[in-house]
């Protein structure tokens, strides 16, 4: 089995290392920076460059931004191996899946949208890890009425990289949910550290501060692009959060102990219900 990886940053690099570590696949890679591809090859993270060899790949994982993914799929439509499975790893799905489904149908390969539910606040090949996806979930967005056996093939390959589970959904539902579970968290974290007291936190901060600020350390170009590609969903989540925060602020300013206590109780019970699902 031969696996191609396009983009050797944090996600693509980790996929390459994971598949190599499994010792059950030949791994070919390619990064837009030729030096990164060379480093990956010299470090034995990949078995060689995928350039000119896409037609050998049974699976191709594309770990670049949404527009670059669509461009790559269109430009290489005739180079993918017939009946191969091409999977993207973008943080949004609506902007990627529909155009790529159409190209795949015309050209005779299979495209499945993907989003690995793992990562760190850092980026680049040097931060990639072979065990990045151990125990993680992969969200898959197949075309309507996709063959179940194809998804089973893909799940088997994902297991080699360490993924523990797979969730299947639509592009629209993915983007709606991810606006809350991921994108809003990055907005909140990034805005939170702009407090004038952030610069004097040392000695006064512990786990809650670290948990809330971890993803403030982000790639601003990548996340700005993701937010704008999913602007209706993320705007809804931000506006909803603002309305909730206003309730807390009003209760605090009014010295309303019972009102504030009820808001906190509602939040705690909401968290308990969410964790049971």
């Amino acid at each position: 089995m031969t696996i191609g990886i396009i983009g050797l940053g944090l996600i693509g690099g980790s996929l390459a290392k994971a598949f190599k570590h499994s010792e059950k696949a030949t791994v070919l890679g390619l990064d837009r920076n030729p030096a990164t591809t060379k480093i990956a090859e010299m470090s034995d993270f990949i078995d060689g460059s995928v350039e000119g060899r896409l037609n050998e790949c049974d699976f191709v994982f594309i770990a670049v931004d949404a527009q670059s993914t669509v461009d790559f799929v269109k430009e290489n439509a005739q180079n993918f191996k017939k009946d191969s499975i091409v999977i993207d790893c973008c943080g949004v799905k609506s902007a990627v899946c529909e155009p790529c489904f159409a190209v795949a149908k015309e050209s005779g390969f299979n495209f499945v949208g993907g989003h690995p539910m793992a990562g760190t606040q850092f980026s680049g090949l040097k931060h990639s890890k072979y065990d990045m996806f151990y125990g993680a979930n992969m969200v898959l967005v197949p075309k309507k009425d996709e063959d179940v056996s194809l998804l089973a093939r893909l799940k088997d390959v994902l297991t080699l990289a360490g993924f523990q589970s797979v969730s299947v959904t639509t592009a629209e539902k993915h983007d709606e949910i991810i606006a809350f579970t991921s994108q809003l968290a990055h907005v909140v974290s990034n805005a939170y550290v702009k407090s004038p007291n952030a610069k004097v936190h040392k000695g006064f901060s512990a786990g809650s501060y670290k948990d809330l600020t971890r993803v403030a350390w982000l790639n601003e170009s990548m996340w700005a692009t993701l937010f704008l590609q999913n602007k209706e969903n993320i705007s809804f989540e931000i506006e909803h959060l603002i309305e909730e925060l206003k309730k807390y602020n009003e209760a605090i300013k009014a010295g309303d102990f019972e009102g504030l206590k009820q808001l906190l109780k509602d939040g705690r019970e909401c968290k308990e219900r969410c964790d049971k699902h």
Side-chain angles (χ1 to χ4, degrees):
M1 175 172 55
T2 301
I3 297 175
I5 311 288
I6 308 302
L8 296 172
L10 178 69
I11 299 300
S14 294
L15 284 170
K17 290 178 180 180
F19 287 125
K20 278 284 288 181
H21 187 75
S22 75
E23 299 182 343
K24 294 184 178 180
T26 298
V27 182
L28 305 178
L30 183 67
D31 192 85
R32 68 185 69 188
N33 184 345
T36 300
T37 306
K38 194 65 178 177
I39 289 170
E41 190 172 358
M42 292 174 64
S43 302
D44 203 31
F45 300 154
I46 59 175
D47 297 302
S49 173
V50 77
E51 192 166 13
R53 301 177 65 183
L54 273 177
N55 60 355
E56 299 176 27
C57 298
D58 302 292
F59 299 88
V60 179
F61 289 84
I62 306 178
V64 297
D65 65 89
Q67 188 57 56
S68 296
T69 294
V70 174
D71 292 344
F72 184 87
V73 169
K74 288 180 177 179
E75 292 166 6
N76 291 277
Q78 301 306 315
N79 299 326
F80 293 116
K81 184 178 180 180
K82 300 304 178 185
D83 203 35
S84 64
I85 303 177
V86 178
I87 311 100
D88 83 287
C89 299
C90 296
V92 292
K93 297 271 71 80
S94 296
V96 174
C97 288
E98 288 308 317
C100 290
F101 287 152
V103 174
K105 183 178 181 180
E106 288 179 8
S107 304
F109 63 92
N110 303 289
F111 182 86
V112 178
H115 189 180
M117 293 291 96
T120 73
Q121 66 269 41
F122 304 112
S123 60
L125 179 65
K126 66 179 180 179
H127 294 293
S128 62
K129 304 183 294 181
Y130 78 91
D131 60 351
M132 175 77 75
F133 309 110
Y134 282 23
N137 181 61
M138 173 67 119
V139 179
L140 295 179
V141 178
K143 70 177 186 294
K144 188 177 181 181
D145 300 323
E146 182 61 89
D147 188 342
V148 175
S149 64
L150 183 142
L151 295 179
R153 280 173 58 199
L154 182 50
K155 185 176 181 180
D156 288 343
V157 170
L158 292 170
T159 300
L160 292 182
F163 288 96
Q164 184 175 18
S165 59
V166 166
S167 299
V168 179
T169 188
T170 64
E172 293 76 19
K173 180 56 69 174
H174 167 278
D175 290 354
E176 178 184 331
I177 297 173
I178 214 69
F180 169 68
T181 61
S182 176
Q183 295 182 348
L184 181 63
H186 284 77
V187 171
V188 171
S189 182
N190 198 264
Y192 174 76
V193 294
K194 293 178 179 177
S195 166
N197 284 315
K199 61 181 176 293
V200 293
H201 77 89
K202 290 184 179 179
F204 297 86
S205 58
S208 56
Y209 173 84
K210 291 178 182 178
D211 290 344
L212 188 51
T213 60
R214 181 179 67 82
V215 293
W217 197 317
L218 47 67
N219 180 323
E220 57 270 19
S221 294
M222 181 187 80
W223 282 99
T225 300
L226 288 170
F227 295 155
L228 293 178
Q229 289 171 332
N230 198 26
K231 60 183 180 180
E232 291 185 5
N233 289 316
I234 185 60
S235 290
F236 169 81
E237 293 296 344
I238 291 171
E239 288 169 3
H240 182 268
L241 178 61
I242 289 171
E243 289 305 309
E244 290 299 316
L245 289 173
K246 284 180 179 178
K247 297 175 185 177
Y248 290 81
N249 192 36
E250 289 167 2
I252 291 169
K253 288 169 70 174
D256 182 1
F257 176 83
E258 291 302 325
L260 181 59
K261 180 181 174 182
Q262 186 61 49
L263 286 169
L264 294 169
K265 181 174 183 288
D266 291 345
R268 173 177 58 77
E269 292 177 345
C270 183
K271 170 63 173 170
E272 290 173 358
R273 290 192 299 271
C274 292
D275 286 354
K276 288 179 181 178
H277 290 288

